């Protein structure tokens, strides 16, 4: 499937095809699985609409969104590195997306007015419920790599869901400062009292990381460690115990070193495919105001990742 650039916007709606109505923007974006997630859903919902990929250069997001609107686009997904620029470019921003510092879903009305949302956070809530049959708000959580964009969205969601413990771990501790400053706004003061603060931070090389992991129910990896099949796990996996739930936001490879080790330690594991699925389903729900055909979307993703099986 073709990836368009802004200079090719005039070509997105050739005669004889269903009109392009939805798009994912990013840079690079040709690897994005969003079309394989959304196109089958649009077909199932009889929308007669295409979902396309558009590569946009940094600094051109606001202009790009308006050009896409003029070309007939009604809804946009935003991927790296544009989630902050998208937030700054929208006319209106959902308060939770503001807390997360990122917009991954844009709804455009008939007048070209844009509203930005973040479905990564609520998508994660749905992913955890589906994978482990538990509510995020019932779990003591540690996020490994909370300094990145995905980590921040998930951390915010955990606090919005009132998780009783949230430990943010990062290689570079200072990178957590802006996140904790924002998150302290949604952590009422009285909840910060007690034997352990509800929200704490720790460096990945801190000797107390082992204890922090032992005290957690859910361990989430949001670092990029694991994207290469030869990558190690982001922390010593001998610390994982059978009571742990381990979620890796990486889905390709399907089982990172972290997940393989966690499984052999007896923990329950899940990869980021469910997050990709549910954040996409929520985007579709914002655009079309109807329930997303989740199984169709799941099948679309599966066949994109395993084309030989489908
Ligand atoms: P995003 O696209 O989510 O913003 P990112 O900026 O690439 O992602 O960073 C993702 C996370 O991976 C960060 O927390 C980063 O840690 P730093 O803040 O210290 O840079 C983490 N990360 C990347 N490589 C890592 C490594 N080799 N060991 C530990 N953490 C790593």
């Amino acid at each position: 499937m073709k990836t368009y650039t802004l200079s090719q916007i005039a070509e997105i709606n050739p005669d004889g095809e269903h009109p392009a109505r939805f798009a994912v923007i990013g840079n690079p974006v040709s690897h994005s699985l969003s079309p394989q997630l959304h196109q089958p859903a649009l077909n199932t919902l009889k929308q007669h609409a295409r979902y396309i990929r558009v590569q946009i250069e940094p600094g051109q997001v606001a202009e790009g969104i308006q050009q896409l609107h003029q070309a007939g686009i009604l809804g946009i997904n935003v991927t790296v590195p544009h989630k902050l620029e998208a937030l700054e470019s929208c006319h209106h921003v959902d308060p939770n997306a503001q807390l997360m510092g990122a917009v991954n879903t844009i709804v455009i009305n008939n007048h070209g007015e844009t509203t930005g949302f973040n479905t990564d956070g609520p998508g994660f809530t749905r992913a955890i419920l589906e994978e482990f049959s538990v509510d995020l708000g019932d779990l003591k959580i540690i996020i490994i790599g909370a300094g990145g964009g995905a980590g921040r969205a998930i951390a915010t969601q955990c606090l919005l869901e009132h998780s009783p413990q949230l430990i943010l771990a990062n290689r570079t501790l200072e990178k957590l400062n802006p996140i904790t400053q924002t998150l302290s706004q949604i952590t009422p003061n009285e909840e910060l009292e007690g034997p352990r603060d509800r929200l704490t931070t720790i460096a990945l090389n801190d000797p107390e990381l082992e204890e922090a992991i032992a005290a957690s129910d859910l361990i989430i990896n949001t670092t990029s460690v694991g994207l290469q099949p030869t990558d190690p796990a982001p922390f010593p996996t001998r610390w994982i115990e059978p009571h742990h739930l381990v979620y890796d936001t990486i889905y390709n490879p399907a089982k990172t070193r972290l997940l393989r080790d966690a499984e052999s330690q007896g923990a329950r594991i899940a990869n980021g495919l469910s997050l990709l699925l549910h954040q996409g389903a929520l985007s579709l729900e914002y655009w079309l105001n109807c329930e997303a055909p989740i199984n169709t979307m799941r099948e679309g993703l599966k066949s994109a990742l395993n084309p030989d099986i489908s």
Side-chain angles (χ1 to χ4, degrees):
M1 182 201 278
K2 183 176 162 69
T3 296
Y4 296 90
T5 60
L6 274 191
S7 61
Q8 298 166 323
I9 288 294
E11 301 165 22
I12 69 173
N13 279 323
D15 290 342
E17 286 191 42
H18 288 325
R21 291 284 180 244
F22 303 95
V24 55
I25 62 171
N27 195 341
V29 74
S30 52
H31 65 284
S32 168
L33 294 179
S34 291
Q36 290 98 319
L37 181 65
H38 285 285
Q39 191 63 59
L42 292 169
N43 299 348
T44 299
L45 294 169
K46 308 233 177 325
Q47 285 292 312
H48 307 300
R50 277 163 48 241
Y51 186 108
I52 60 169
R53 295 188 187 101
V54 181
Q55 180 168 315
I56 294 186
E57 299 307 312
Q60 299 204 315
V61 171
E63 183 196 328
I65 294 169
Q66 280 315 312
Q67 285 192 28
L68 287 168
H69 158 65
Q70 277 149 20
I73 295 290
L74 305 171
I76 297 175
N77 278 135
V78 185
T79 189
V80 282
H82 293 328
K83 293 186 186 188
L84 174 60
E85 206 180 323
L87 183 150
E88 291 165 346
S89 303
C90 283
H91 296 104
H92 312 283
V93 176
D94 174 75
N96 290 348
Q98 203 89 54
L99 286 170
M100 290 170 193
V103 155
N104 78 331
T105 302
I106 300 173
V107 179
I108 311 179
N109 74 10
N110 293 338
H111 309 291
E113 223 174 285
T114 50
T115 307
F117 298 92
N118 190 313
T119 65
D120 289 326
F124 187 71
T125 300
R126 288 194 186 183
I128 290 300
L129 186 60
E130 175 186 299
E131 299 281 8
F132 301 126
S133 309
V134 283
D135 288 327
L136 197 58
D138 289 337
L139 296 171
K140 291 192 248 166
I141 295 166
I142 183 163
I143 301 177
I144 309 291
R152 175 169 173 165
I154 290 173
T156 307
Q157 190 67 25
C158 294
L159 286 186
L160 290 171
E161 304 268 349
H162 306 288
S163 301
Q165 168 211 289
L166 180 61
I167 303 174
L168 306 181
N170 209 47
R171 176 178 60 180
T172 323
L173 203 52
E174 306 80 67
K175 285 211 197 160
L176 295 175
N177 291 343
I179 306 168
T180 48
Q181 269 168 21
T182 309
L183 292 187
S184 58
Q185 291 171 26
I186 50 173
T187 314
N189 283 339
E190 66 271 21
E191 292 186 56
L192 289 172
E193 291 166 9
R196 170 165 219 145
D197 285 353
R198 184 163 160 238
L199 173 63
T200 53
T201 61
I202 189 167
L204 274 190
N205 62 1
D206 190 314
E208 289 186 18
L209 185 66
E210 179 176 4
E211 191 195 315
I213 285 176
S216 303
D217 307 311
L218 173 64
I219 305 169
I220 307 163
N221 176 44
T222 53
T223 74
S224 44
V225 183
L227 278 172
Q228 302 303 320
T230 50
D231 277 352
F235 62 89
T237 49
R238 63 177 184 280
W239 297 341
I240 299 174
E241 296 168 21
H243 72 85
H244 281 127
L245 309 174
V246 182
Y247 192 96
D248 199 328
T249 53
I250 295 170
Y251 56 82
N252 193 9
K255 267 192 202 172
T256 56
R257 177 71 193 264
L258 169 65
L259 290 189
R260 279 185 275 132
D261 288 359
E263 194 172 39
S264 60
Q265 300 278 101
R268 291 168 66 197
I269 62 165
N271 75 20
L273 213 54
S274 45
L275 172 56
L276 180 63
L277 172 69
H278 287 289
Q279 62 78 31
L282 282 160
S283 296
L284 199 74
E285 291 177 11
Y286 276 122
W287 298 327
L288 300 178
N289 207 13
C290 70
E291 201 176 320
I294 197 84
N295 289 329
T296 304
M297 298 179 89
R298 197 190 316 274
E299 289 311 311
L301 267 189
K302 275 192 196 158
S303 35
L305 286 167
N306 303 303
D308 301 340
I309 297 172
S310 60

